[in-house]
Short mmCIF file of all heavy atoms in Angstrom, two decimals:
data_model
loop_
_atom_site.label_atom_id
_atom_site.label_comp_id
_atom_site.label_asym_id
_atom_site.label_seq_id
_atom_site.Cartn_x
_atom_site.Cartn_y
_atom_site.Cartn_z
N ASN T 199 109.57 81.50 50.10
CA ASN T 199 108.46 80.57 50.16
C ASN T 199 108.62 79.51 49.08
O ASN T 199 109.51 79.60 48.24
CB ASN T 199 107.16 81.35 49.92
CG ASN T 199 106.10 80.99 50.95
OD1 ASN T 199 105.82 79.81 51.15
ND2 ASN T 199 105.54 81.99 51.60
N PHE T 203 103.68 74.50 47.61
CA PHE T 203 103.04 74.78 48.90
C PHE T 203 103.48 76.18 49.32
O PHE T 203 104.67 76.42 49.51
CB PHE T 203 103.46 73.76 49.96
CG PHE T 203 102.77 72.43 49.80
CD1 PHE T 203 103.18 71.52 48.84
CD2 PHE T 203 101.68 72.11 50.61
CE1 PHE T 203 102.54 70.30 48.70
CE2 PHE T 203 101.04 70.89 50.47
CZ PHE T 203 101.45 69.98 49.51
N THR T 204 102.52 77.09 49.44
CA THR T 204 102.86 78.47 49.79
C THR T 204 102.17 78.88 51.08
O THR T 204 100.95 78.75 51.21
CB THR T 204 102.42 79.44 48.67
OG1 THR T 204 102.88 78.92 47.42
CG2 THR T 204 103.01 80.83 48.89
N LEU T 205 102.96 79.34 52.05
CA LEU T 205 102.39 79.89 53.29
C LEU T 205 102.23 81.39 53.06
O LEU T 205 103.22 82.12 52.96
CB LEU T 205 103.33 79.64 54.48
CG LEU T 205 102.87 80.22 55.82
CD1 LEU T 205 101.59 79.56 56.32
CD2 LEU T 205 103.97 80.08 56.88
N LYS T 206 100.98 81.85 52.96
CA LYS T 206 100.76 83.28 52.68
C LYS T 206 100.74 84.10 53.97
O LYS T 206 101.42 85.12 54.07
CB LYS T 206 99.47 83.46 51.88
CG LYS T 206 99.55 82.76 50.52
CD LYS T 206 98.29 82.86 49.72
CE LYS T 206 98.26 84.12 48.87
NZ LYS T 206 97.08 84.10 47.97
N THR T 207 99.97 83.64 54.94
CA THR T 207 100.00 84.31 56.25
C THR T 207 99.86 83.27 57.37
O THR T 207 99.28 82.20 57.16
CB THR T 207 98.84 85.33 56.44
OG1 THR T 207 97.60 84.63 56.32
CG2 THR T 207 98.90 86.45 55.42
N PHE T 208 100.38 83.62 58.53
CA PHE T 208 100.24 82.81 59.73
C PHE T 208 100.11 83.80 60.87
O PHE T 208 100.91 84.74 60.97
CB PHE T 208 101.48 81.93 59.91
CG PHE T 208 101.38 80.91 61.02
CD1 PHE T 208 101.24 79.56 60.74
CD2 PHE T 208 101.44 81.30 62.37
CE1 PHE T 208 101.15 78.61 61.75
CE2 PHE T 208 101.34 80.36 63.38
CZ PHE T 208 101.21 79.00 63.07
N ASP T 209 99.11 83.60 61.71
CA ASP T 209 98.84 84.60 62.73
C ASP T 209 98.30 83.92 63.99
O ASP T 209 97.24 83.30 63.94
CB ASP T 209 97.79 85.58 62.18
CG ASP T 209 97.83 86.91 62.90
OD1 ASP T 209 98.56 87.02 63.89
OD2 ASP T 209 97.13 87.83 62.45
N SER T 210 99.03 84.03 65.08
CA SER T 210 98.55 83.45 66.33
C SER T 210 99.10 84.21 67.53
O SER T 210 100.29 84.53 67.57
CB SER T 210 98.97 81.98 66.43
OG SER T 210 98.51 81.41 67.65
N GLY T 211 98.23 84.50 68.49
CA GLY T 211 98.68 85.13 69.74
C GLY T 211 98.58 86.63 69.72
O GLY T 211 98.82 87.28 68.72
N SER T 220 93.95 80.85 69.82
CA SER T 220 93.52 80.61 68.45
C SER T 220 94.65 80.92 67.48
O SER T 220 95.61 81.63 67.81
CB SER T 220 92.27 81.43 68.13
OG SER T 220 92.61 82.75 67.79
N ALA T 221 94.53 80.33 66.27
CA ALA T 221 95.56 80.50 65.25
C ALA T 221 94.93 80.42 63.87
O ALA T 221 93.97 79.68 63.66
CB ALA T 221 96.63 79.42 65.40
N ASP T 222 95.47 81.21 62.94
CA ASP T 222 94.97 81.22 61.57
C ASP T 222 96.12 81.17 60.59
O ASP T 222 97.17 81.77 60.82
CB ASP T 222 94.18 82.51 61.31
CG ASP T 222 92.87 82.53 62.08
OD1 ASP T 222 91.91 81.93 61.59
OD2 ASP T 222 92.86 83.12 63.19
N ALA T 223 95.90 80.46 59.48
CA ALA T 223 96.89 80.49 58.40
C ALA T 223 96.15 80.49 57.07
O ALA T 223 95.03 79.96 56.95
CB ALA T 223 97.82 79.29 58.49
N LEU T 224 96.78 81.11 56.10
CA LEU T 224 96.27 81.11 54.73
C LEU T 224 97.34 80.48 53.86
O LEU T 224 98.49 80.94 53.86
CB LEU T 224 95.98 82.55 54.30
CG LEU T 224 95.27 82.73 52.96
CD1 LEU T 224 93.86 82.14 53.02
CD2 LEU T 224 95.20 84.21 52.61
N VAL T 225 96.97 79.41 53.15
CA VAL T 225 97.98 78.68 52.38
C VAL T 225 97.46 78.38 50.98
O VAL T 225 96.24 78.39 50.73
CB VAL T 225 98.35 77.33 53.05
CG1 VAL T 225 98.94 77.56 54.43
CG2 VAL T 225 97.14 76.41 53.14
N GLU T 226 98.39 78.11 50.05
CA GLU T 226 98.03 77.56 48.75
C GLU T 226 98.78 76.25 48.61
O GLU T 226 99.99 76.19 48.88
CB GLU T 226 98.39 78.54 47.63
CG GLU T 226 97.28 79.55 47.39
CD GLU T 226 97.61 80.56 46.31
OE1 GLU T 226 98.71 80.48 45.72
OE2 GLU T 226 96.77 81.43 46.07
N VAL T 227 98.05 75.19 48.21
CA VAL T 227 98.66 73.87 48.11
C VAL T 227 98.24 73.21 46.80
O VAL T 227 97.25 73.62 46.18
CB VAL T 227 98.25 72.97 49.29
CG1 VAL T 227 98.69 73.57 50.60
CG2 VAL T 227 96.74 72.74 49.30
N PHE T 233 94.71 67.75 51.38
CA PHE T 233 95.16 68.67 52.43
C PHE T 233 94.04 68.92 53.43
O PHE T 233 94.24 68.85 54.65
CB PHE T 233 95.62 69.97 51.77
CG PHE T 233 96.26 70.95 52.71
CD1 PHE T 233 97.58 70.77 53.11
CD2 PHE T 233 95.57 72.06 53.17
CE1 PHE T 233 98.18 71.69 53.96
CE2 PHE T 233 96.16 72.96 54.03
CZ PHE T 233 97.48 72.78 54.42
N VAL T 234 92.86 69.16 52.91
CA VAL T 234 91.70 69.43 53.77
C VAL T 234 91.36 68.18 54.60
O VAL T 234 91.09 68.27 55.80
CB VAL T 234 90.48 69.90 52.93
CG1 VAL T 234 89.21 69.90 53.77
CG2 VAL T 234 90.76 71.29 52.37
N PHE T 237 93.77 67.84 57.37
CA PHE T 237 93.52 68.81 58.45
C PHE T 237 92.40 68.31 59.36
O PHE T 237 92.49 68.38 60.59
CB PHE T 237 93.17 70.17 57.86
CG PHE T 237 93.04 71.27 58.89
CD1 PHE T 237 94.15 71.69 59.62
CD2 PHE T 237 91.82 71.86 59.15
CE1 PHE T 237 94.05 72.69 60.58
CE2 PHE T 237 91.70 72.87 60.11
CZ PHE T 237 92.81 73.28 60.81
N PHE T 240 93.70 65.68 61.55
CA PHE T 240 94.58 66.28 62.56
C PHE T 240 93.76 66.87 63.72
O PHE T 240 94.10 66.69 64.88
CB PHE T 240 95.44 67.37 61.90
CG PHE T 240 96.45 67.99 62.81
CD1 PHE T 240 97.63 67.33 63.14
CD2 PHE T 240 96.24 69.26 63.37
CE1 PHE T 240 98.57 67.90 63.99
CE2 PHE T 240 97.18 69.83 64.22
CZ PHE T 240 98.35 69.15 64.52
N LEU T 241 92.65 67.51 63.36
CA LEU T 241 91.78 68.07 64.41
C LEU T 241 91.23 66.96 65.30
O LEU T 241 91.16 67.10 66.52
CB LEU T 241 90.61 68.85 63.78
CG LEU T 241 90.93 70.14 63.03
CD1 LEU T 241 89.65 70.76 62.49
CD2 LEU T 241 91.67 71.15 63.90
N ALA T 247 90.15 72.28 68.38
CA ALA T 247 89.03 72.34 67.45
C ALA T 247 89.47 73.24 66.30
O ALA T 247 90.55 73.83 66.35
CB ALA T 247 87.81 72.91 68.14
N GLY T 248 88.65 73.35 65.27
CA GLY T 248 89.04 74.23 64.18
C GLY T 248 88.15 74.07 62.98
O GLY T 248 87.18 73.31 63.00
N ASP T 249 88.47 74.82 61.92
CA ASP T 249 87.74 74.67 60.67
C ASP T 249 88.63 75.08 59.52
O ASP T 249 89.67 75.70 59.70
CB ASP T 249 86.43 75.47 60.70
CG ASP T 249 86.67 76.92 61.03
OD1 ASP T 249 87.23 77.64 60.17
OD2 ASP T 249 86.36 77.35 62.16
N VAL T 250 88.19 74.70 58.33
CA VAL T 250 88.98 74.97 57.14
C VAL T 250 88.03 75.38 56.03
O VAL T 250 86.93 74.82 55.91
CB VAL T 250 89.81 73.72 56.74
CG1 VAL T 250 88.94 72.49 56.64
CG2 VAL T 250 90.57 73.94 55.44
N LYS T 251 88.39 76.42 55.27
CA LYS T 251 87.56 76.74 54.11
C LYS T 251 88.40 77.28 52.96
O LYS T 251 89.46 77.87 53.16
CB LYS T 251 86.43 77.70 54.48
CG LYS T 251 86.79 78.90 55.32
CD LYS T 251 85.54 79.76 55.58
CE LYS T 251 85.88 81.01 56.34
NZ LYS T 251 85.87 80.85 57.79
N SER T 252 87.87 77.03 51.76
CA SER T 252 88.53 77.57 50.58
C SER T 252 88.05 79.00 50.36
O SER T 252 86.87 79.28 50.48
CB SER T 252 88.17 76.74 49.35
OG SER T 252 88.80 75.50 49.42
N THR T 253 89.00 79.88 50.09
CA THR T 253 88.65 81.26 49.81
C THR T 253 89.28 81.63 48.47
O THR T 253 90.08 80.86 47.93
CB THR T 253 89.20 82.22 50.89
OG1 THR T 253 90.63 82.32 50.70
CG2 THR T 253 88.90 81.72 52.29
N GLY T 254 88.95 82.79 47.95
CA GLY T 254 89.56 83.24 46.71
C GLY T 254 91.08 83.39 46.83
O GLY T 254 91.82 83.34 45.85
N GLN T 255 91.54 83.56 48.10
CA GLN T 255 92.97 83.78 48.35
C GLN T 255 93.76 82.49 48.61
O GLN T 255 94.98 82.52 48.63
CB GLN T 255 93.16 84.66 49.61
CG GLN T 255 92.22 85.84 49.73
CD GLN T 255 92.67 86.96 48.83
OE1 GLN T 255 93.82 87.36 48.88
NE2 GLN T 255 91.77 87.45 47.98
N GLY T 256 93.02 81.40 48.84
CA GLY T 256 93.68 80.14 49.18
C GLY T 256 92.87 79.41 50.23
O GLY T 256 91.69 79.71 50.43
N ILE T 257 93.51 78.47 50.91
CA ILE T 257 92.81 77.72 51.95
C ILE T 257 93.06 78.39 53.31
O ILE T 257 94.21 78.64 53.68
CB ILE T 257 93.30 76.26 52.01
CG1 ILE T 257 92.99 75.58 50.67
CG2 ILE T 257 92.65 75.50 53.14
CD1 ILE T 257 93.36 74.12 50.64
N ALA T 258 91.97 78.68 54.00
CA ALA T 258 92.08 79.33 55.31
C ALA T 258 91.89 78.29 56.40
O ALA T 258 90.85 77.62 56.46
CB ALA T 258 91.03 80.43 55.44
N LEU T 259 92.90 78.14 57.25
CA LEU T 259 92.86 77.18 58.36
C LEU T 259 92.69 77.94 59.66
O LEU T 259 93.32 78.99 59.86
CB LEU T 259 94.17 76.39 58.44
CG LEU T 259 94.62 75.64 57.18
CD1 LEU T 259 96.06 75.19 57.35
CD2 LEU T 259 93.71 74.46 56.93
N HIS T 260 91.85 77.39 60.52
CA HIS T 260 91.67 78.02 61.83
C HIS T 260 91.70 76.95 62.91
O HIS T 260 91.05 75.92 62.78
CB HIS T 260 90.33 78.76 61.88
CG HIS T 260 90.03 79.33 63.22
ND1 HIS T 260 90.65 80.46 63.71
CD2 HIS T 260 89.19 78.91 64.21
CE1 HIS T 260 90.21 80.70 64.93
NE2 HIS T 260 89.34 79.78 65.26
N ILE T 261 92.47 77.23 63.97
CA ILE T 261 92.53 76.29 65.10
C ILE T 261 92.19 77.02 66.39
O ILE T 261 92.62 78.14 66.63
CB ILE T 261 93.94 75.64 65.22
CG1 ILE T 261 94.10 74.57 64.12
CG2 ILE T 261 94.15 75.00 66.59
CD1 ILE T 261 95.39 73.79 64.20
N THR T 262 91.39 76.38 67.22
CA THR T 262 91.10 76.89 68.56
C THR T 262 91.73 75.95 69.58
O THR T 262 91.49 74.74 69.54
CB THR T 262 89.57 76.94 68.80
OG1 THR T 262 88.98 77.66 67.72
CG2 THR T 262 89.27 77.67 70.09
N ALA T 277 97.32 77.01 70.31
CA ALA T 277 96.72 76.83 68.99
C ALA T 277 97.77 77.06 67.89
O ALA T 277 97.76 76.38 66.85
CB ALA T 277 95.56 77.80 68.81
N GLY T 278 98.68 77.99 68.12
CA GLY T 278 99.67 78.35 67.11
C GLY T 278 100.66 77.24 66.81
O GLY T 278 100.91 76.91 65.65
N THR T 279 101.22 76.64 67.86
CA THR T 279 102.22 75.60 67.58
C THR T 279 101.54 74.34 67.05
O THR T 279 102.13 73.59 66.28
CB THR T 279 103.07 75.26 68.84
OG1 THR T 279 102.24 74.73 69.86
CG2 THR T 279 103.80 76.50 69.35
N TYR T 280 100.26 74.12 67.42
CA TYR T 280 99.52 72.99 66.82
C TYR T 280 99.33 73.21 65.32
O TYR T 280 99.48 72.28 64.52
CB TYR T 280 98.16 72.79 67.51
CG TYR T 280 98.24 71.74 68.60
CD1 TYR T 280 98.27 72.10 69.94
CD2 TYR T 280 98.30 70.38 68.28
CE1 TYR T 280 98.36 71.15 70.94
CE2 TYR T 280 98.40 69.41 69.27
CZ TYR T 280 98.43 69.80 70.60
OH TYR T 280 98.54 68.84 71.58
N LEU T 281 99.00 74.43 64.95
CA LEU T 281 98.81 74.72 63.52
C LEU T 281 100.13 74.49 62.77
O LEU T 281 100.15 73.91 61.68
CB LEU T 281 98.32 76.16 63.35
CG LEU T 281 98.01 76.63 61.92
CD1 LEU T 281 97.06 75.65 61.21
CD2 LEU T 281 97.40 78.03 61.93
N ALA T 282 101.22 74.92 63.38
CA ALA T 282 102.53 74.70 62.75
C ALA T 282 102.83 73.21 62.63
O ALA T 282 103.38 72.74 61.63
CB ALA T 282 103.62 75.40 63.55
N LYS T 283 102.46 72.47 63.66
CA LYS T 283 102.72 71.04 63.64
C LYS T 283 101.99 70.38 62.46
O LYS T 283 102.53 69.51 61.78
CB LYS T 283 102.25 70.41 64.96
CG LYS T 283 102.62 68.94 65.06
CD LYS T 283 102.27 68.34 66.41
CE LYS T 283 102.67 66.89 66.45
NZ LYS T 283 101.54 65.99 66.69
N PHE T 284 100.77 70.82 62.21
CA PHE T 284 100.04 70.29 61.05
C PHE T 284 100.76 70.67 59.75
O PHE T 284 101.02 69.82 58.89
CB PHE T 284 98.60 70.80 61.04
CG PHE T 284 97.91 70.51 59.74
CD1 PHE T 284 97.55 69.21 59.40
CD2 PHE T 284 97.65 71.53 58.83
CE1 PHE T 284 96.95 68.93 58.18
CE2 PHE T 284 97.05 71.26 57.61
CZ PHE T 284 96.70 69.95 57.28
N LEU T 285 101.07 71.94 59.59
CA LEU T 285 101.69 72.41 58.34
C LEU T 285 103.04 71.75 58.10
O LEU T 285 103.47 71.57 56.96
CB LEU T 285 101.86 73.94 58.37
CG LEU T 285 100.56 74.75 58.42
CD1 LEU T 285 100.86 76.24 58.62
CD2 LEU T 285 99.74 74.55 57.15
N ASN T 286 103.70 71.37 59.19
CA ASN T 286 105.05 70.80 59.09
C ASN T 286 105.06 69.45 58.37
O ASN T 286 106.10 68.97 57.95
CB ASN T 286 105.64 70.66 60.49
CG ASN T 286 107.15 70.49 60.49
OD1 ASN T 286 107.83 71.16 59.71
ND2 ASN T 286 107.65 69.60 61.31
N TYR T 288 103.82 68.96 55.57
CA TYR T 288 103.76 69.21 54.11
C TYR T 288 105.01 69.93 53.63
O TYR T 288 105.67 70.65 54.40
CB TYR T 288 102.50 70.03 53.80
CG TYR T 288 101.24 69.24 54.15
CD1 TYR T 288 100.72 69.28 55.44
CD2 TYR T 288 100.65 68.41 53.21
CE1 TYR T 288 99.60 68.53 55.78
CE2 TYR T 288 99.53 67.65 53.54
CZ TYR T 288 99.02 67.71 54.83
OH TYR T 288 97.93 66.95 55.17
N PHE T 290 106.36 72.59 52.49
CA PHE T 290 106.58 74.03 52.28
C PHE T 290 108.08 74.22 52.10
O PHE T 290 108.88 73.35 52.47
CB PHE T 290 106.07 74.82 53.48
CG PHE T 290 104.56 74.84 53.58
CD1 PHE T 290 103.88 73.83 54.25
CD2 PHE T 290 103.82 75.85 52.97
CE1 PHE T 290 102.49 73.83 54.32
CE2 PHE T 290 102.43 75.86 53.04
CZ PHE T 290 101.76 74.84 53.72
N ALA T 294 109.57 80.07 54.87
CA ALA T 294 108.25 79.66 55.36
C ALA T 294 108.36 78.31 56.07
O ALA T 294 107.84 78.11 57.17
CB ALA T 294 107.25 79.59 54.21
N PHE T 297 110.31 78.65 59.41
CA PHE T 297 109.43 79.21 60.44
C PHE T 297 108.52 78.11 61.01
O PHE T 297 108.40 77.93 62.23
CB PHE T 297 108.60 80.33 59.80
CG PHE T 297 107.41 80.80 60.59
CD1 PHE T 297 107.56 81.67 61.66
CD2 PHE T 297 106.12 80.39 60.25
CE1 PHE T 297 106.45 82.13 62.38
CE2 PHE T 297 105.01 80.83 60.96
CZ PHE T 297 105.18 81.69 62.02
N ILE T 298 107.91 77.34 60.11
CA ILE T 298 107.00 76.27 60.52
C ILE T 298 107.75 75.21 61.34
O ILE T 298 107.29 74.77 62.40
CB ILE T 298 106.34 75.60 59.28
CG1 ILE T 298 105.38 76.58 58.61
CG2 ILE T 298 105.64 74.31 59.66
CD1 ILE T 298 104.93 76.14 57.22
N LEU T 301 108.69 76.17 64.97
CA LEU T 301 107.54 76.05 65.87
C LEU T 301 107.19 74.58 66.14
O LEU T 301 106.96 74.17 67.27
CB LEU T 301 106.32 76.76 65.27
CG LEU T 301 106.39 78.28 65.18
CD1 LEU T 301 105.16 78.83 64.46
CD2 LEU T 301 106.51 78.89 66.56
N MET T 333 103.05 84.40 67.15
CA MET T 333 103.66 83.83 65.95
C MET T 333 103.07 84.49 64.74
O MET T 333 101.84 84.54 64.60
CB MET T 333 103.35 82.32 65.88
CG MET T 333 103.94 81.51 67.01
SD MET T 333 102.91 80.06 67.44
CE MET T 333 102.08 80.70 68.90
N LYS T 334 103.94 85.01 63.86
CA LYS T 334 103.43 85.72 62.68
C LYS T 334 104.28 85.39 61.47
O LYS T 334 105.50 85.28 61.56
CB LYS T 334 103.50 87.24 62.90
CG LYS T 334 102.36 87.81 63.71
CD LYS T 334 102.50 89.33 63.76
CE LYS T 334 101.57 89.94 64.80
NZ LYS T 334 100.17 89.54 64.67
N PHE T 335 103.61 85.26 60.33
CA PHE T 335 104.33 85.16 59.05
C PHE T 335 103.52 85.86 57.99
O PHE T 335 102.30 85.71 57.94
CB PHE T 335 104.53 83.68 58.66
CG PHE T 335 105.36 83.52 57.41
CD1 PHE T 335 106.74 83.38 57.47
CD2 PHE T 335 104.75 83.54 56.14
CE1 PHE T 335 107.51 83.26 56.31
CE2 PHE T 335 105.52 83.42 54.98
CZ PHE T 335 106.90 83.27 55.07
N ASP T 336 104.19 86.65 57.17
CA ASP T 336 103.55 87.07 55.92
C ASP T 336 104.63 87.20 54.85
O ASP T 336 105.82 87.20 55.14
CB ASP T 336 102.67 88.31 56.09
CG ASP T 336 103.46 89.60 56.24
OD1 ASP T 336 104.38 89.83 55.43
OD2 ASP T 336 103.16 90.36 57.17
N MET T 337 104.19 87.28 53.60
CA MET T 337 105.13 87.13 52.49
C MET T 337 106.03 88.35 52.29
O MET T 337 107.01 88.26 51.56
CB MET T 337 104.37 86.77 51.21
CG MET T 337 103.78 85.36 51.33
SD MET T 337 102.70 84.89 49.98
CE MET T 337 103.83 84.68 48.63
#
Side-chain angles (χ1 to χ4, degrees):
N199 227 308
F203 284 78
T204 311
L205 178 65
K206 298 177 88 173
T207 60
F208 188 108
D209 202 353
S210 179
S220 82
D222 290 278
L224 188 64
V225 299
E226 274 179 1
V227 299
F233 187 78
V234 168
F237 186 66
F240 184 77
L241 293 180
D249 55 71
V250 52
K251 46 180 184 272
S252 288
T253 73
Q255 317 282 308
I257 298 184
L259 304 167
H260 175 75
I261 284 185
T262 307
T279 63
Y280 265 104
L281 183 52
K283 186 175 180 240
F284 168 71
L285 295 173
N286 198 41
Y288 296 87
F290 289 87
F297 166 79
I298 291 167
L301 292 175
M333 296 149 259
K334 279 185 193 307
F335 184 91
D336 75 48
M337 292 173 71

